Amino acid sequence: MSATAEQYFPLVVPATSLLLGLALLAGWRSLRDHRYLLWLAGGYICTAFPLAAQILMDNARMATWSVLTGAMYCAGSWATAQGFALRSGGRVSGPAALAISLITLLALFCFSRLDDVLGARIVFLNLGMGLLLALALPVLFDSEQPDTLFERLLRRTYLLLVAYAILRPLLAWLLAGWFTSSGLPRSGLWLWMLAFNLLLNLWLLFLLLGGLAQQLMGELRHERNHDSLTQLLNRRAFFEIANHRLQHDPARPWALLACDVDHFKQVNDTWGHAAGDNVLRQVGVLLQQMTRPDDLVARFGGEEFVLLVHCHDLPTAARIAERIRVGLSQMHCSPAKQSITASFGVTMVATAQDLESALERADLAVYQAKHEGRNRLILSPSQDGTDCMLPDQQATP
């Protein structure tokens, strides 16, 4: 390889960093809610330019431009730390980052303009970059992100990146006497460290994008399975999950509760659809509060809600429905502060094959409750054909 090729070949590393930054920037333009992508793009781009400049400079020119390149390195490290902190739901300390950056730049000025000491510049610059990156560690390891394999690997890789930045000058001094080298940017150890830095950043970006893809898939799955207004399960997701539970745990007894808000059309006609939407949201919140985490609560459309609850028999299911009915009647979420009432149909579900039939029975029971005056619950006929009905609206809790 010629001297010119040897000089310019390391530019692959900053060029790759620049391309990665531009890719993250393009990702942010499509996913504006993920602001951390913009910060991470800035981190990659800000470090690409000073790295390319140092590759093309000799040690004398590096000393001349050390403060400017150091400022760009600090900005890149600060942006990277801020990006990972934002991704984890927090922020890095601005005053701490500013103080570290100013101390680093002051040291670079002293050991380039007042006294040209290459080793000191290397130590202070890498220590400053490492400390800036370390500002995100408390947020990263106290993240609210799901504890997935991608997240665990991402945290450990970021910790390795911080440790590598801090220990890099020590390793260079021990292995090759970097501090006295006259051709630092073209030394063999420099090239090996550039290669390792590139691989580490590629691996970090792979984990980052893998976690992002996993998060986006989770968001899409949530949108597919949940009603956008109430955030309850929609009809399709309800049937998928209910069928799965009934098929894989057939011995567990379940009850189906159908609930229909009374006179809901009057709310829309009188107060507008915004008020009606608020009523539906409040009803959804109450249904989730009054059921257990393993019960299913779904909005089937309009003012119709369906619940699949674990209980041993129909009287128990009736008590659950009655408790919910009373809770709804005590809500005052319409503009006129009027109480909200609902009619209930309750039946037991024997098997997955019985689910459709159970829903029909519950719907018929709701229709009967509406016909008999609303604000009541009615139990559907049991599986053996005997009637099990509460003619007056209350079942004893």
Side-chain angles (χ1 to χ4, degrees), residues 206-283:
F206 167 76
L207 295 175
L208 180 71
L209 295 180
L212 177 60
Q214 196 173 56
Q215 180 183 356
L216 291 176
M217 289 298 295
E219 292 174 359
L220 290 173
R221 192 180 303 112
H222 184 274
E223 290 179 4
R224 172 184 177 272
N225 292 337
H226 291 78
D227 170 59
S228 60
L229 178 64
T230 62
Q231 297 304 308
L232 301 177
L233 293 174
N234 56 33
R235 186 185 187 98
R236 180 186 59 246
F238 175 85
F239 275 106
E240 288 179 359
I241 301 174
N243 275 306
H244 181 269
R245 291 190 179 182
L246 292 169
Q247 289 173 358
H248 290 80
D249 195 6
R252 194 176 189 187
W254 295 91
L256 189 74
L257 283 63
C259 164
D260 200 275
V261 179
D262 295 328
H263 302 295
F264 181 72
K265 187 176 183 299
Q266 293 182 7
V267 175
N268 281 334
D269 292 344
T270 305
W271 306 106
H273 289 281
D277 289 346
N278 182 59
V279 168
L280 294 177
R281 279 192 291 267
Q282 294 300 319
V283 170

Side-chain angles (χ1 to χ4, degrees), residues 103-176:
I103 292 172
T104 301
L105 295 179
L106 179 61
L108 292 176
F109 177 81
C110 292
F111 292 107
S112 61
R113 302 298 176 86
L114 304 181
D115 188 11
D116 187 0
V117 183
L118 174 62
R121 294 202 306 270
I122 293 174
V123 170
F124 276 100
L125 177 59
N126 283 272
L127 183 61
M129 293 173 62
L131 291 176
L132 285 170
L133 291 172
L135 292 175
L137 287 176
V139 182
L140 197 62
F141 280 85
D142 193 29
S143 171
E144 297 180 356
Q145 296 283 348
D147 190 27
T148 63
L149 177 62
F150 273 113
E151 291 300 321
R152 291 193 295 271
L153 289 174
L154 187 67
R155 289 193 293 266
R156 286 163 175 77
T157 303
Y158 189 85
L159 182 60
L160 176 62
L161 181 67
V162 174
Y164 173 68
I166 295 175
L167 298 177
R168 185 164 45 201
L170 177 61
L171 294 174
W173 177 68
L174 291 175
L175 295 176

Side-chain angles (χ1 to χ4, degrees), residues 336-379:
K337 303 301 181 181
Q338 297 175 338
S339 62
I340 301 299
T341 65
S343 301
F344 288 82
V346 184
T347 188
M348 297 299 293
V349 184
T351 63
Q353 291 74 26
D354 184 47
L355 185 59
E356 289 280 0
S357 175
L359 184 60
E360 292 179 3
R361 296 196 303 271
D363 282 340
L364 289 174
V366 169
Y367 178 79
Q368 184 175 348
K370 295 276 190 183
H371 181 71
E372 294 185 4
R374 297 181 172 84
N375 191 25
R376 65 189 64 213
L377 66 92
I378 291 182
L379 309 185

Side-chain angles (χ1 to χ4, degrees), residues 3 10 16 18 36 94 102 159 171 201 206 236 293 358:
T16 304
L18 178 61
Y36 67 89
L102 291 177
L159 182 60
L171 294 174
N201 278 282
F206 167 76
R236 180 186 59 246

